[in-house]
């Protein structure tokens, strides 16, 4: 698929930081950064539905950042765990809708594990995240 110029692979220094490689993508208005394998897959003629769903997750973040103002969004996202979880649940909901279109399962346990981890600054407990995703 053809990607617009604001969608890019992570810059090289990001790849040097090992633990960050677990994250598939990031929306930092007006850009979306993706892990190399996902970026290349999306550029191929038949991208994996998982990559498409991840891109849609990030596109939803970008839309919300634009609507609320990127600075306001970033500050609230960093400092309010409740806001962070609210925004992530919206993005994961979008991701699940896309996966469903391709008859793919949305792995709630993995998402709940991620939401309750360092990746989202321990914003929520695993059980609470799992409940909200159901
Ligand atoms: Zn997200």
């Amino acid at each position: 698929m053809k990607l617009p110029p604001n969608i890019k692979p992570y810059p090289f220094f990001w790849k040097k930081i090992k633990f960050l490689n677990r994250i598939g993508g990031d929306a930092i208005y007006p850009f979306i950064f993706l892990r190399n394998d996902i970026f290349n897959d999306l550029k191929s003629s038949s991208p994996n539905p998982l990559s498409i769903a991840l891109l849609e997750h990030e596109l939803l973040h970008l839309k919300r950042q634009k609507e609320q103002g990127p600075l306001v969004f970033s500050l609230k996202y960093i400092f309010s765990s409740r806001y962070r979880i609210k925004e992530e649940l919206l993005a994961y909901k979008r991701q699940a809708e896309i996966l469903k279109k391709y008859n793919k399962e949305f792995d709630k346990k993995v998402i709940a594990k991620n939401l309750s981890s360092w990746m989202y600054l321990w914003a929520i407990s695993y059980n609470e995240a799992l409940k909200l995703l159901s």
Side-chain angles (χ1 to χ4, degrees):
M1 103 180 20
K2 197 168 167 14
L3 295 174
N6 65 320
I7 297 173
K8 301 172 178 300
Y10 278 120
F12 78 96
F13 58 83
W14 186 273
K15 291 172 206 153
K16 297 282 171 215
I17 310 170
K18 274 273 182 290
F19 73 92
L20 291 178
N21 287 327
R22 278 189 49 212
I23 299 175
D26 259 303
I28 303 168
Y29 190 83
F31 300 106
I32 288 175
F33 294 103
L34 297 167
R35 225 168 53 201
N36 247 1
D37 54 324
I38 296 166
F39 181 78
N40 289 329
D41 180 49
L42 283 168
K43 285 207 313 185
S44 72
S45 52
S46 57
N48 188 319
L50 294 174
S51 304
I52 297 170
L54 179 87
L55 177 62
E56 290 293 331
H57 174 124
E58 300 304 338
L59 283 169
L60 190 109
H61 280 319
L62 210 61
K63 183 173 163 258
R64 302 274 305 162
Q65 289 173 7
K66 193 182 178 185
E67 283 168 4
Q68 296 175 65
L71 186 64
V72 170
F73 182 99
S74 302
L75 289 174
K76 283 167 107 177
Y77 190 94
I78 292 166
F79 293 109
S80 164
S81 52
R82 180 175 250 184
Y83 182 84
R84 199 178 315 125
I85 290 302
K86 191 189 87 189
E87 291 300 321
E88 287 307 330
L89 287 173
L90 283 172
Y92 279 117
K93 197 178 151 213
R94 175 77 184 135
Q95 198 171 344
E97 284 166 8
I98 301 298
L99 287 173
K100 207 174 173 186
K101 269 202 215 167
Y102 291 94
N103 289 319
K104 294 271 177 197
E105 261 303 307
F106 182 64
D107 196 337
K108 287 175 186 150
K109 286 182 180 168
V110 172
I111 307 298
K113 204 176 153 205
N114 289 344
L115 283 173
S116 57
S117 77
W118 62 268
M119 289 168 78
Y120 297 101
L121 306 172
W122 305 275
I124 194 170
S125 74
Y126 172 81
N127 287 333
E128 209 180 328
L130 197 60
K131 207 166 78 188
L132 289 170
L133 288 164
S134 301

